[in-house]
Amino acid sequence: CAALLRRPPPPERVGRWIRFQIAAAMLGGMAGGAAALLFHAAPEVEYAYMTMVVCGWCAAGLAVSGAVPVAFYGFVVLFVAPLTAGWALSDNADALLVATLLVLFIFLLTTYARDNAQLVGRALRMRFENEELVQLLQAREGEAQAARERAEAANLSKSAFLAAASHDLRQPLHALSFFGAT
């Protein structure tokens, strides 16, 4: 995302980038979800540790793919659903509680992803609006500079005209004063 913010792709390629991010997030979710299936037979303490690691991994995934909520939804569901099912189907006394907490965790993460996407969207809109304002300001500054130069040129032209007119008007007066003196 940081690279896209520094140098966004052309508009015709944005859809491809989003589809790529969705596919990559879903593949990552499937890979992580497979761990829950592979380690389901592990002792309860180790399975609990793995659950904490998966939850941390999902929370970190929010920073990576949270700007595109669909990507994160695919990631977190494919990642945590097998783990939730593993806990729900286990014979542990607290299995349903842990499974319920994992469902709540999915809900909270998807809510954060939605809010994060809205925040990123606002930040991008503000950035593009600021860039447009800078371009508008530069254009207005150029217009003001051109108007200032035209005004200065008009002022110089006016001064030259008044100097020539003053000279042309003073010549006959001087001639009359010489004629009157003679």
Side-chain angles (χ1 to χ4, degrees):
C1 284
L4 291 176
L5 289 175
R6 280 193 305 275
R7 188 172 158 210
E12 64 272 4
R13 293 184 60 201
V14 170
R16 187 181 333 163
W17 276 100
I18 291 173
R19 286 189 301 277
F20 173 77
Q21 187 172 11
I22 291 169
M26 292 178 82
L27 285 173
M30 283 189 280
L37 299 174
L38 293 174
F39 297 108
H40 179 65
E44 288 180 13
V45 173
E46 285 81 0
Y47 201 64
Y49 289 150
M50 191 196 68
T51 300
M52 290 188 305
V53 169
V54 166
C55 289
W57 196 346
C58 285
L62 180 63
V64 176
S65 62
V68 180
V70 175
F72 185 72
Y73 300 156
F75 171 76
V76 76
V77 168
L78 292 172
F79 207 119
V80 180
L83 183 64
T84 305
W87 274 102
L89 297 174
S90 77
D91 54 357
N92 185 321
D94 296 325
L96 289 179
L97 174 65
V98 174
T100 304
L101 289 174
L102 286 171
V103 170
L104 179 63
F105 184 68
I106 291 172
F107 173 74
L108 289 174
L109 284 180
T110 55
T111 302
Y112 289 140
R114 183 201 64 215
D115 293 346
N116 186 36
Q118 291 172 351
L119 181 66
V120 168
R122 279 194 304 264
L124 285 172
R125 278 191 297 280
M126 285 176 42
R127 177 180 175 186
F128 292 130
E129 287 172 4
N130 286 343
E131 287 178 2
E132 288 175 9
L133 288 174
V134 165
Q135 291 172 351
L136 182 63
L137 181 61
Q138 289 172 342
R140 293 281 167 92
E141 186 178 333
E143 292 171 4
Q145 180 66 25
R148 188 178 310 113
E149 289 171 0
R150 284 192 306 270
E152 288 174 0
N155 191 31
L156 287 174
S157 177
K158 177 192 72 160
S159 296
F161 172 76
L162 289 177
S166 172
H167 176 66
D168 290 346
L169 289 174
R170 275 188 269 142
Q171 274 185 334
L173 287 176
H174 283 298
L176 282 174
S177 68
F178 287 138
F179 181 67
T182 56

